[in-house]
Amino acid sequence: MAMSENSKKVITYLQGVNGANVTADDVATALDLTKKTVVGCFNASVVKKELGYRDEAQVKDEEGNIITVKFLKLNDA
C-alpha cells in the first residue's frame, strides 16, 4: 500500500526536527493539518510499520501542573 502525501509530510517533518520533542499538536500546527490527521498518519505509516513510536513523558504545563504528553519519535533506521 502506498503512503499518503500527508504521511510523507509527517515523516519528513519528524526527520527535520532531528529527534526534538514534538507532539501531534505541534506537527499539526506546523503542517496545517488536523491533529486527527497527524495521529492517523503516524499510526498507519510510522507505528504500524515499526518506523517510530510515542515517547510518553511528564512535563509541566503553563500553570505549573504536571501533565502526561506523548512525543512522536522516529526510530534511528
Side-chain angles (χ1 to χ4, degrees):
M1 183 173 173
M3 191 178 298
S4 74
E5 286 303 312
N6 284 339
S7 292
K8 290 176 186 176
K9 288 179 186 178
V10 170
I11 290 171
T12 299
Y13 179 81
L14 291 173
Q15 288 171 330
V17 298
N18 295 317
N21 290 334
V22 294
T23 64
D25 283 327
D26 297 330
V27 177
T29 299
L31 299 178
D32 196 29
L33 300 171
T34 66
K35 180 180 177 181
K36 184 177 179 178
T37 297
V38 171
V39 170
C41 291
F42 192 77
N43 287 341
S45 297
V46 179
V47 175
K48 187 173 181 180
K49 296 176 183 176
E50 299 181 358
L51 300 174
Y53 59 97
R54 286 179 186 77
D55 185 20
E56 194 170 285
Q58 303 287 319
V59 298
K60 286 186 180 181
D61 67 9
E62 300 84 25
E63 299 170 359
N65 300 313
I66 302 293
I67 59 170
T68 300
V69 296
K70 294 178 184 175
F71 297 117
L72 307 184
K73 299 288 187 174
L74 296 177
N75 294 332
D76 291 335

